[in-house]
Amino acid sequence: MTGLLPEGFHDRLPPYADAAARLERRMLDSAFAYGYEQVDPPLAEFEAALGARLKAANARDAVRFVDPVSQRTLAIRPDITAQVGRIAATRMAHHPRPLRLSYAGQVLRLSASQLRPERAMRQIGCELIGLDSVEAAREVVAVAVEALEAAGLTGLSIDFTLPDLVEALGVVPPERLRTLRDALDGKDAAGVAAIAPAYLPLIDAAGPFDAALARLRASDHAGPLASRLDGLAAIAASLPASVTLTLDPTERHGFEYQSWLGFSIFAAGVPVEIGRGGTYTVMHDGGAEEPAVGFSLYADPVLAAGLAPAGRRRLFMPYGTPADIAAQWRREGWVTVAALTPDDNASAQLCTHVLGTDGPETT
Amino acid sequence: MTGLLPEGFHDRLPPYADAAARLERRMLDSAFAYGYEQVDPPLAEFEAALGARLKAANARDAVRFVDPVSQRTLAIRPDITAQVGRIAATRMAHHPRPLRLSYAGQVLRLSASQLRPERAMRQIGCELIGLDSVEAAREVVAVAVEALEAAGLTGLSIDFTLPDLVEALGVVPPERLRTLRDALDGKDAAGVAAIAPAYLPLIDAAGPFDAALARLRASDHAGPLASRLDGLAAIAASLPASVTLTLDPTERHGFEYQSWLGFSIFAAGVPVEIGRGGTYTVMHDGGAEEPAVGFSLYADPVLAAGLAPAGRRRLFMPYGTPADIAAQWRREGWVTVAALTPDDNASAQLCTHVLGTDGPETT
């Protein structure tokens, strides 16, 4: 059983590996067209530095090892966003803002979840650093949607949330916040009513975007909620009508590090979230904080859902075909597959065409 | 110093990360046009299975960790070739031969060498499995050359070697082979003469390809050498005249696992080897062996040598430019960078052009 792989790790074989690479290229090209340029941080870093920028759950999930060179503990990244934050706060600290960065790379996690069984996966994303305004969030959401549509996904839906809403409303004393958050997370209306009845409309408001927004506007919360709702409305209005929007104002799971805005992205036919993002804070040396907004996409669930790889179109070169003839067909856009022995044949090589006397013939 | 990285690890920043990605795309596209389709094995595997397919030096160099799920030791790959061999021997064992596979991905090594100081790097390559004939080797060398030329490299040179020559000639008793090899590795003419004077021409033959080949043909070795020299001559004759060829018939360093053919690739202006390859054997379950030939390229030394990234051509969208206007310029091939505040300006955003009333104007 030398071919067996650990749980959560897998090989991607032809033609799916090429399909995944094409998907990733299209996503990165979409972001590039909006001015997002790639950074490529290393697979491993000093654990202490990386851990300080990771969510606690991610830090626990990182593979660690002792580096024989530095005699210090290094960690394999479980997430690339933290590394992009480090780059923005250190080597690119003096680069003018807003800073638009994209990335694509492998991440590794010790544990998997039921929803996300992979432990090695590719993360692709964009971060806009220096702003977390409505304009900035609108651009980032637009880039995410355009990148996914460029990759061929249809039936996109975005579920917005307002992660810091409970704190921002500020009507509950700090010592009861935890209990309130637990009640809201569990959609426990009785529990919420017992602590702060004013929060009940937040539970009821979850659902299709326009209706949820209207219900929230009709609730009696003042300033903090109003400005967030205006922001959400502006972001929603800028998105193409093809994208379904929902709003779950108190959803915080996985958004613990987001500030005023969070969002999850889903696509028709894909059972799990395919991406997520939101506003957050980049920490600088000395404690300064910088606003930012970004998103991450995962190629694996999209491909696993059966996104069709492009059809193969391969032209078989019979044994003895001169190299310059094959080169000529490649210049015309063909994939050429050369017979290297007299016994090689077109169908075994998955060729759709064979080079005949008058050019390519279908097999 | 939260920005400090371990020795041998580095960030690639704009515009070099995009340049590296473009380079890699061109290499993979070149191979794809010859029928090589990508496989994407995972970053980590069971140590025992991966180690069995790695050179001993590489296996020692792998980062290992205990997997909490399987309670077994996993290793991060220090090399992707071994994984491609595993795929060919297991999941793709019944796929018709020859099997043409390509790959690109991150590898991680605990130790670095003076020549190759990076410990995290990207490996890109192609493997042709099922044949190690002259025709097969000729195709693989041609793909390597075309991939590097497509990536913009010039002044390529290939240094061929015949790794199993000493064994193949068979004129030295097995117990003296080790001593002979050491003498040959050290180009120690006196040492070689003391063991087997017949091998002296092999040392003298190192150098420019045609002259080296002529000297070897003139030496008094029989069969095994003649067939290898005919093969080398055929491979050399098929390469474009722009590629400089050399031959060092006894060079074995790093080619311990190669069979009859090995080669190193260099490029003008790059102080270190940029790729290497050769013929080898893929192990199947049960001990069966299958011939193969392939090459690996390293993007890092090429980029480090200053391969010029493409010029930026970015169009600044003044604050308030409608989204559909920006989209129109992107469709025309521009990178658009939107002002998100009234204070954003074109030069800080590295824009070469600003959208004026009559279209793009240079800044």
Side-chain angles (χ1 to χ4, degrees):
Chain A
M1 290 297 281
T2 56
L4 198 68
L5 293 174
E7 211 178 304
F9 294 81
H10 73 285
D11 293 318
R12 195 170 277 139
L13 301 185
Y16 298 98
D18 278 302
R22 265 193 304 271
L23 189 99
E24 188 171 309
R25 287 183 185 195
R26 291 199 198 114
M27 291 185 193
L28 290 167
D29 285 349
S30 292
F32 188 79
Y34 275 85
Y36 289 75
E37 295 192 320
Q38 283 186 60
V39 288
D40 186 13
L43 203 53
E45 296 199 9
F46 289 122
E47 182 201 22
L50 184 63
R53 292 183 180 276
L54 287 170
K55 297 182 201 179
N58 278 343
R60 279 193 302 274
D61 230 17
V63 169
R64 296 174 199 80
F65 61 98
V66 175
D67 173 18
V69 176
S70 64
Q71 296 288 326
R72 289 174 58 189
T73 302
L74 308 191
I76 310 276
R77 62 185 179 204
D79 172 75
I80 302 179
T81 313
Q83 295 186 301
V84 178
R86 173 184 54 72
I87 290 173
T90 56
R91 292 188 61 192
M92 298 189 81
H94 300 292
H95 191 285
R97 265 43 179 175
L99 183 58
R100 289 173 171 91
L101 301 175
S102 67
Y103 57 86
Q106 200 78 41
V107 298
L108 194 65
R109 296 176 183 174
L110 282 176
S111 64
S113 65
Q114 271 199 312
L115 269 182
R116 207 172 277 300
E118 292 301 315
R119 297 196 287 159
M121 56 192 133
R122 288 192 73 79
Q123 188 186 5
I124 303 165
C126 288
E127 309 298 329
L128 190 150
I129 295 139
L131 289 173
D132 67 354
S133 63
V134 171
E135 286 85 352
R138 200 163 55 185
E139 175 172 300
V140 160
V141 175
V143 173
V145 167
E146 210 163 303
L148 287 165
E149 290 185 342
L153 275 85
T154 55
L156 293 179
S157 68
I158 300 184
D159 188 20
F160 288 101
T161 180
L162 295 168
D164 72 351
L165 189 58
V166 173
E167 290 83 345
L169 288 179
V171 297
V172 173
E175 68 274 15
R176 303 206 63 185
L177 264 181
R178 177 74 183 263
T179 318
L180 175 62
R181 277 207 220 96
D182 289 346
L184 285 168
D185 286 351
K187 314 279 184 221
D188 167 12
V192 171
I195 303 165
Y199 285 84
L200 276 174
L202 301 184
I203 295 188
D204 295 336
F209 189 84
D210 290 338
L213 195 73
R215 273 196 299 275
L216 283 172
R217 285 209 193 277
S219 76
D220 59 355
H221 296 297
L225 186 52
S227 69
R228 282 167 174 74
L229 297 182
D230 291 346
L232 271 181
I235 295 167
S238 70
L239 288 170
S242 58
V243 180
T244 304
L245 302 179
T246 56
L247 174 58
D248 187 351
T250 65
E251 176 63 37
R252 294 184 314 111
H253 183 70
F255 291 103
E256 296 83 355
Y257 276 54
Q258 255 68 41
S259 52
W260 74 273
L261 178 74
F263 58 89
S264 296
I265 310 174
F266 298 85
V270 185
V272 298
E273 181 184 279
I274 56 171
R276 60 164 50 204
T279 56
Y280 61 100
T281 294
V282 169
M283 302 296 299
H284 284 251
D285 282 354
E289 296 188 350
E290 185 175 21
V293 53
F295 68 88
S296 286
L297 305 174
Y298 294 91
D300 303 73
V302 174
L303 284 157
L307 190 71
R312 285 182 170 104
R313 192 162 159 277
R314 290 156 63 100
L315 177 57
F316 187 73
M317 299 281 134
Y319 188 63
T321 304
D324 58 337
I325 301 289
Q328 178 196 315
W329 291 106
R330 283 194 298 277
R331 278 193 297 274
E332 299 202 7
W334 286 88
V335 169
T336 65
V337 181
L340 296 176
T341 75
D343 296 335
D344 287 357
N345 75 78
S347 70
Q349 290 297 321
L350 305 175
C351 288
T352 52
H353 296 74
V354 175
L355 184 62
T357 45
D358 297 327
E361 297 163 3
T362 54
T363 52
Chain B
M1 290 300 282
T2 54
L4 199 67
L5 293 173
E7 212 177 302
F9 295 81
H10 73 286
D11 293 317
R12 195 170 276 138
L13 302 185
Y16 297 97
D18 278 301
R22 266 193 304 272
L23 189 99
E24 187 171 309
R25 287 182 186 196
R26 291 200 198 115
M27 290 185 193
L28 290 166
D29 285 348
S30 292
F32 188 79
Y34 275 85
Y36 289 75
E37 295 191 320
Q38 284 188 60
V39 287
D40 186 13
L43 203 52
E45 297 198 8
F46 289 122
E47 182 201 22
L50 184 63
R53 293 183 179 276
L54 287 170
K55 297 182 201 180
N58 277 344
R60 278 193 303 274
D61 232 17
V63 169
R64 295 174 201 79
F65 61 97
V66 175
D67 173 19
V69 175
S70 65
Q71 297 287 324
R72 290 175 57 190
T73 302
L74 308 191
I76 309 276
R77 63 185 178 204
D79 172 75
I80 301 178
T81 314
Q83 296 186 299
V84 178
R86 173 183 56 71
I87 290 173
T90 56
R91 292 188 61 191
M92 298 190 81
H94 300 293
H95 191 284
R97 266 43 180 172
L99 183 58
R100 290 173 171 89
L101 300 175
S102 67
Y103 57 87
Q106 200 78 39
V107 298
L108 194 65
R109 296 177 182 174
L110 282 176
S111 64
S113 65
Q114 271 199 313
L115 269 181
R116 207 172 276 298
E118 291 302 314
R119 297 196 287 161
M121 56 192 131
R122 287 192 74 79
Q123 187 185 6
I124 302 164
C126 288
E127 309 296 329
L128 190 150
I129 294 138
L131 290 173
D132 67 353
S133 63
V134 171
E135 285 85 353
R138 201 163 55 186
E139 174 172 300
V140 161
V141 175
V143 173
V145 167
E146 208 162 304
L148 287 166
E149 289 185 343
L153 274 84
T154 55
L156 293 179
S157 68
I158 300 184
D159 188 19
F160 289 101
T161 182
L162 295 167
D164 71 351
L165 189 58
V166 173
E167 290 83 346
L169 288 179
V171 296
V172 172
E175 68 273 17
R176 303 206 66 186
L177 264 180
R178 175 76 184 261
T179 320
L180 175 62
R181 278 206 221 95
D182 289 346
L184 285 168
D185 286 350
K187 313 279 184 219
D188 167 11
V192 172
I195 303 164
Y199 284 84
L200 276 174
L202 301 183
I203 295 188
D204 295 339
F209 189 83
D210 291 337
L213 194 73
R215 272 197 299 275
L216 283 172
R217 285 209 192 277
S219 76
D220 57 355
H221 296 296
L225 186 52
S227 70
R228 284 169 171 74
L229 297 182
D230 291 347
L232 272 182
I235 295 166
S238 70
L239 288 170
S242 58
V243 181
T244 304
L245 303 178
T246 57
L247 174 58
D248 187 349
T250 65
E251 176 64 37
R252 293 183 314 111
H253 183 71
F255 292 103
E256 295 84 356
Y257 276 53
Q258 256 67 41
S259 54
W260 74 273
L261 177 73
F263 57 90
S264 297
I265 311 174
F266 299 86
V270 186
V272 298
E273 183 184 279
I274 56 171
R276 61 163 50 203
T279 57
Y280 62 99
T281 294
V282 169
M283 301 298 298
H284 284 250
D285 282 354
E289 296 189 350
E290 184 175 23
V293 53
F295 69 86
S296 286
L297 305 174
Y298 294 92
D300 304 72
V302 174
L303 283 157
L307 190 72
R312 285 184 170 102
R313 192 162 159 277
R314 289 156 63 99
L315 177 57
F316 186 75
M317 299 281 134
Y319 188 63
T321 304
D324 58 336
I325 300 289
Q328 176 196 317
W329 290 105
R330 283 194 298 277
R331 278 194 296 275
E332 299 201 7
W334 286 89
V335 167
T336 65
V337 182
L340 297 175
T341 74
D343 296 335
D344 287 357
N345 74 79
S347 70
Q349 289 298 322
L350 305 174
C351 288
T352 52
H353 296 73
V354 175
L355 185 62
T357 44
D358 297 327
E361 297 164 4
T362 54
T363 52

